[in-house]
Amino acid sequence: MRVVFMGTPDFAVPTLSEILGQGHEVVAVYTRAPKPAGRGMDEQKTPVHRLADRFAIPVFTPRTLRDAAAQADFASLGADVAVVVAYGLILPKAVLDAPALGCLNLHGSQLPRWRGAAPIQRAIMAGDAETGVMVMQMDENLDTGPVAMVERIAITPDMTTQELHDRMAVLGADLMVRALGALERGTLGFSPQGEAGVTYAAKIDKAEARIDWSRPAAEVHNTVRGLSPFPGAWFEADLGKGRERVKVLRTSLASGSGAPGTVLGPDLAVACGTGAVRLVEVQRAGSKAMKAADFLNGAKVGPGTVLG
């Protein structure tokens, strides 16, 4: 089929790769415009843009799809279907209606739970035991269209957002190409989403990343793994050379109790509002991620230290 692919981050790359591998004709790729990045502030293309360049696929980077010229460009591609994976722009009705077979979206949750921008992070932060990837038909509202296919995924107790993201990206790519195959054969069916259990996955606010040690240990643990690796949950402490911010990338639940934020022992267990968590992997400013033992070699953090 003639496919227009619309996506931006790493999460979308496996799906574009699988679509190309299945022999579909990707007539164009839509992605976000390059942004200045790095020390030299050079224009950096998105991961999807870079893959499209490798296959010499025409790339469009409009800042909006709401104007008539952008909509005319899209319609002129004569696509059978558009595939949307974490694109980042709203698709108006004129764009949704342009492909002959509509627009399919790959979404990282079990809809209607976690509609919105950050479904992977929110599922982990909420302590969900299961999530999924879904292929849905897009409509004008936020993740409300009928669902065609789903792949369920268990969220293990210590799984981070990065680990779940990577698993979802691979499973989602396979799910989408199976959906395209069924669509091409005329056998892809859709079911409306239920009305019960609707939740919204709001974009992550950096203010959420500061660890609140007064919360129960399970909530602190879920926040850490839900924000790992980006933006990364963090605390502040005097590590021997003044006050410093430290990201926490991995924790485990631990035994013990004390004043919230107090280091309880040499294994970096930290008291929470109830219970405790053990710091397993951290990252100091300007340094690489490191295990707790390596962190202790260069930081003066012992029992009784209070983490802010």
Side-chain angles (χ1 to χ4, degrees):
M1 290 191 295
R2 289 176 61 85
V3 178
V4 171
F5 186 84
M6 311 178 84
T8 293
D10 288 322
F11 184 76
V13 169
T15 302
L16 176 56
S17 181
E18 282 293 310
I19 290 171
L20 290 166
Q22 291 296 316
H24 294 290
E25 181 186 2
V26 179
V27 296
V29 160
Y30 277 69
T31 190
R32 299 303 295 268
K35 291 183 177 180
R39 292 185 178 180
M41 298 300 284
D42 295 327
E43 293 275 291
Q44 183 170 322
K45 296 178 178 179
T46 70
V48 166
H49 195 150
R50 294 195 295 272
L51 180 59
D53 283 349
R54 283 177 50 199
F55 288 89
I57 302 169
V59 176
F60 293 81
T61 59
R63 299 194 180 278
T64 179
L65 291 168
R66 294 190 181 279
D67 63 73
Q71 293 171 9
D73 287 342
F74 186 87
S76 70
L77 296 168
D80 294 316
V81 63
V83 172
V84 183
V85 187
Y87 175 38
L89 288 184
I90 294 173
L91 273 57
K93 189 174 189 304
V95 172
L96 293 171
D97 291 344
L101 299 174
C103 300
L104 298 183
N105 175 236
L106 183 70
H107 184 78
S109 79
Q110 290 194 65
L111 293 168
R113 185 163 177 79
W114 302 126
R115 294 173 177 170
I120 300 175
Q121 294 95 326
R122 293 298 178 191
I124 291 179
M125 292 170 74
D128 290 1
E130 184 182 81
T131 186
V133 280
M134 284 186 161
V135 173
M136 57 172 284
Q137 183 83 53
M138 296 183 71
D139 60 21
E140 292 182 82
N141 298 313
L142 180 64
D143 299 330
T144 57
V147 173
M149 300 176 74
V150 60
E151 188 80 42
R152 290 177 173 80
I153 304 167
I155 304 177
T156 55
D158 294 323
M159 181 179 279
T160 66
T161 282
Q162 185 67 64
E163 292 163 344
L164 182 55
H165 166 284
D166 293 350
R167 180 160 171 73
M168 277 187 170
V170 173
L171 290 175
D174 177 71
L175 191 70
M176 182 58 78
V177 295
R178 285 192 277 132
L180 288 177
L183 185 67
E184 189 173 19
R185 295 189 299 272
T187 59
L188 188 65
F190 295 90
S191 300
Q193 294 182 34
E195 296 296 325
V198 174
T199 57
Y200 290 92
K203 185 178 179 181
I204 299 296
D205 188 322
K206 288 187 178 180
E208 298 178 75
R210 183 167 190 155
I211 297 174
D212 180 358
W213 300 109
S214 68
R215 294 167 64 190
E219 293 183 15
V220 172
H221 177 59
N222 291 341
T223 296
V224 167
R225 61 197 189 98
L227 298 180
S228 178
F230 182 83
W234 58 271
F235 65 85
E236 286 184 340
D238 187 340
L239 304 180
K241 296 182 180 180
R243 203 155 185 82
E244 185 178 329
R245 180 179 291 192
V246 179
K247 283 187 179 182
V248 183
L249 302 177
R250 194 178 293 273
T251 56
S252 61
L253 295 176
S255 58
S257 62
T262 302
V263 177
L264 299 176
D267 61 350
L268 276 183
V270 183
C272 300
T274 55
V277 296
R278 181 175 292 106
L279 307 188
V280 175
E281 186 176 5
V282 300
Q283 184 175 15
R284 298 178 71 168
S287 300
K288 295 181 179 180
M290 64 186 79
K291 300 298 183 183
D294 297 322
F295 171 67
L296 288 172
N297 287 335
K300 296 181 179 179
V301 180
T305 301
V306 178
L307 308 182

